[in-house]
Amino acid sequence: MRLELRVCQHCLDGDHGNERRTALLNDMVNCAEQIKEYKDVLDLDAVHIRKVRDDEPGKPAALPVVSATIQNDQIVLNDTQLVAEGQDGNMLVYTNPDDVLTVLAGNLDEISKAVTDDVTVDLSQIGAEIVSQANLGANRGDQEQSQ
């Protein structure tokens, strides 16, 4: 099984002036880096993080999937996507930034259940809000106890 996170380097650096997007992309990369460090816990063969710039072709690092949308009657490649390849070879592609962060946070949640190390990633305020609404395993237990 493999994961590949693809993000726009310019958005990551804040060059495009969208602070929310910059915060989310940094959260995604931080989560992916932590997952990469503990990939064996999830039985992942590899975790790739691809940072794409405007002056280069945005080809994937390892998983041959590029998602696209139609904007103003033109096909535009998505500069943010998470591809998860399963053991059966099927690939799931997430292009919505909220979904990407939720999937990555879910992987970290699973890692945290299997190791004694603190694998927590400091998320931005917007990232923390998205993840808190996702009702991941660690959060579910807290909610069940309070009810």
Side-chain angles (χ1 to χ4, degrees):
M1 297 184 341
R2 299 182 289 174
L3 288 179
E4 181 169 331
L5 174 65
R6 182 171 174 241
V7 297
C8 172
Q9 179 70 56
H10 303 287
C11 291
L12 188 66
D13 294 339
D15 297 340
H16 289 157
N18 185 334
E19 291 179 24
R20 180 185 192 278
R21 185 168 178 81
T22 296
L24 283 176
L25 292 182
N26 276 288
D27 288 345
M28 289 176 204
V29 169
N30 292 337
C31 287
E33 287 172 346
Q34 189 74 316
I35 292 167
K36 187 174 187 173
E37 186 174 330
Y38 289 90
K39 66 182 175 56
D40 295 338
V41 173
L42 296 176
D43 201 25
L44 294 172
D45 297 320
V47 176
H48 302 277
I49 302 168
R50 175 83 164 94
K51 299 172 184 173
V52 181
R53 294 186 326 266
D54 287 344
D55 60 347
E56 67 173 301
K59 294 183 179 181
L63 298 174
V65 176
V66 178
S67 59
T69 56
I70 298 176
Q71 297 175 2
N72 299 323
D73 296 325
Q74 291 191 331
I75 296 173
V76 177
L77 301 181
N78 290 328
D79 60 7
T80 300
Q81 68 180 32
L82 175 67
V83 179
E85 178 189 43
Q87 291 175 329
D88 57 4
N90 288 333
M91 293 193 203
L92 298 174
V93 181
Y94 302 91
T95 58
N96 179 300
D98 292 12
D99 294 343
V100 171
L101 184 58
T102 299
V103 169
L104 293 170
N107 279 280
L108 284 176
D109 189 56
E110 290 303 311
I111 292 169
S112 73
K113 294 174 186 176
V115 299
T116 57
D117 300 345
D118 180 9
V119 296
T120 306
V121 172
D122 289 329
L123 298 176
S124 67
Q125 181 178 349
I126 189 69
E129 288 173 16
I130 290 166
V131 171
S132 71
Q133 294 172 5
N135 202 20
L136 299 173
N139 293 336
R140 277 198 308 268
D142 294 342
Q143 289 174 351
E144 288 171 2
Q145 291 174 358
S146 65
Q147 292 178 356

